[in-house]
Amino acid sequence: MPELPEVETTRRGLIPWLTGRRVRAIHVRQPRLRWRVSTRLVAELTGQEIRDVRRRAKYLLLVTDAGTAIVHLGMTGSLRTLSAWTEPGPHDHIDLALSDGGYLRYRDPRRFGSWHWTRTDALRHRLLAGLGPEPHDPAFTGVYLHRRARGRKVPVKPFLMDAGVVVGVGNIYASEALWRAGIHPRRPAGRISEARYAELTRHCVAVLDEAIAAGGTTLRDFRDAAGEPGYFSHDLAVYDQRDKPCRRCATPLRREVIGQRASYFCPVCQR
DNA sequence: ACTGGCTCCTGAGGGC
DNA sequence: TGCCCTCAGGAGCCAG
């Protein structure tokens, strides 16, 4: 669930609670996430002061002098801050006890998320090394997308969701950006003009920015660091809106599976 | 190099 | 009320 806006909303909420705090202790109640949480992470993160909370793609980076914890929220993960201890629920897998008496609590019912530890430059970690540009990176342009798409037959929607192409655009915002750009999600990536790709990059950035401003999209699980849902759900033009009238042309919106993912679009104004 | 398909896991919601 | 089925915001990995 968390796409870039949800991860960024979480990051912004965590910063005032984490930076400058020391990790007093780590409680891993369930180490079996997407990958097993390493004992090395627990050993080396304990006692460290968190210098900064950064984000690369949908990964959150807890930066310390000894190394960096690389956290992914998967589909249902959330990080919450607690000012005092409360009894953990069944899916509260990891707690960081902080030096000010607070806690950072990781909840993830489906356990598709992950926690990694690296002593060196996190951006060179194998999970991050091959990622494409951030949507806000000046390198993310129509020229860039057009070049990357050359010869590709894959539908543009899964192309846009490929983190090797551009990061952070997941199933919701890919549908939204394509609707705004008037591009059919099934159109082969290699058959879109540079000008249309330029338009698409602008819509990607705009929809992600609007979602961040609204605190993200909560469909069911997402909560920010304070436990609050995001409000961008009200502004979704197509995602999860099957049969509702298109906001532009009133045609009933369609839902089709493209690349194994539910996709929502207007069959008339997206070409 | 691409492409499509599978996989990990739990819970919500709909139909009967 | 309960059972069964389908679906869910990610993305690494594999075979062809």
Side-chain angles (χ1 to χ4, degrees):
Chain A
M1 337 171 182
E3 300 184 35
L4 189 152
E6 291 72 40
V7 178
E8 180 62 20
T9 296
T10 299
R11 186 187 77 84
R12 293 181 185 184
L14 291 180
I15 280 186
W17 288 76
L18 296 188
T19 49
R21 310 301 200 282
R22 202 165 282 281
V23 179
R24 277 196 300 118
I26 305 177
H27 305 291
V28 180
R29 283 176 289 268
Q30 170 57 278
R32 300 180 56 185
L33 304 180
R34 177 159 192 193
W35 293 280
R36 189 176 190 88
V37 179
S38 72
T39 51
R40 205 166 64 94
L41 179 143
V42 175
E44 300 194 12
L45 177 56
T46 301
Q48 290 300 312
E49 181 182 326
I50 297 173
R51 299 288 186 191
D52 199 4
V53 182
R54 299 196 189 131
R55 181 187 59 73
R56 172 70 173 114
K58 297 169 191 168
Y59 292 94
L60 281 167
L61 309 177
L62 309 182
V63 181
T64 77
D65 291 339
T68 300
I70 303 171
V71 182
H72 199 290
L73 302 177
M75 289 277 263
T76 53
S78 63
L79 284 167
R80 307 255 313 249
T81 53
L82 305 175
S83 54
W85 170 263
T86 60
E87 194 62 33
H91 303 299
D92 292 336
H93 305 312
I94 299 175
D95 282 352
L96 301 194
L98 304 171
S99 52
D100 63 351
Y103 292 84
L104 176 68
R105 177 161 286 175
Y106 177 74
R107 172 177 299 184
D108 188 359
R110 289 177 75 180
R111 289 191 273 134
F112 287 174
S114 60
W115 285 59
H116 284 82
W117 175 257
T118 180
R119 291 178 181 173
T120 54
D121 182 6
L123 299 183
R124 289 206 203 106
H125 188 275
R126 62 181 176 84
L127 292 175
L128 307 191
L131 295 174
E134 294 284 328
H136 287 92
D137 189 322
F140 181 57
T141 63
V143 172
Y144 165 79
L145 274 186
H146 186 252
R147 178 173 61 74
R148 289 297 304 266
R150 193 168 10 179
R152 302 276 309 263
K153 294 178 176 143
V154 69
V156 62
K157 177 162 172 279
F159 172 73
L160 195 58
M161 291 171 63
D162 180 348
V165 173
V166 59
V167 301
V169 185
N171 206 31
I172 296 178
Y173 301 113
S175 280
E176 294 297 314
L178 288 167
W179 177 80
R180 291 184 181 204
I183 299 173
H184 196 291
R186 242 186 241 288
R187 174 168 284 275
R191 297 199 51 240
I192 295 173
S193 70
E194 187 184 303
R196 295 189 85 195
Y197 268 131
E199 195 62 22
L200 181 58
T201 62
R202 286 190 279 275
H203 286 299
C204 280
V205 172
V207 73
L208 294 170
D209 281 349
E210 289 168 33
I212 292 169
T217 298
T218 296
L219 295 179
R220 57 179 70 74
D221 302 274
F222 174 70
R223 290 293 183 277
D224 70 13
E228 296 297 319
Y231 295 101
F232 195 69
S233 336
H234 305 294
D235 298 311
L236 296 175
V238 289
Y239 187 84
D240 208 17
Q241 307 295 315
R242 167 153 59 171
D243 294 337
K244 300 220 178 107
C246 172
R247 292 182 183 183
R248 258 194 315 251
C249 72
T251 304
L253 298 174
R254 294 186 58 89
R255 176 194 183 277
E256 286 182 20
V257 176
I258 303 172
Q260 292 89 240
R261 307 297 297 275
S263 308
Y264 299 86
F265 62 96
C266 172
V268 170
C269 59
Q270 288 181 253
R271 293 300 165 141

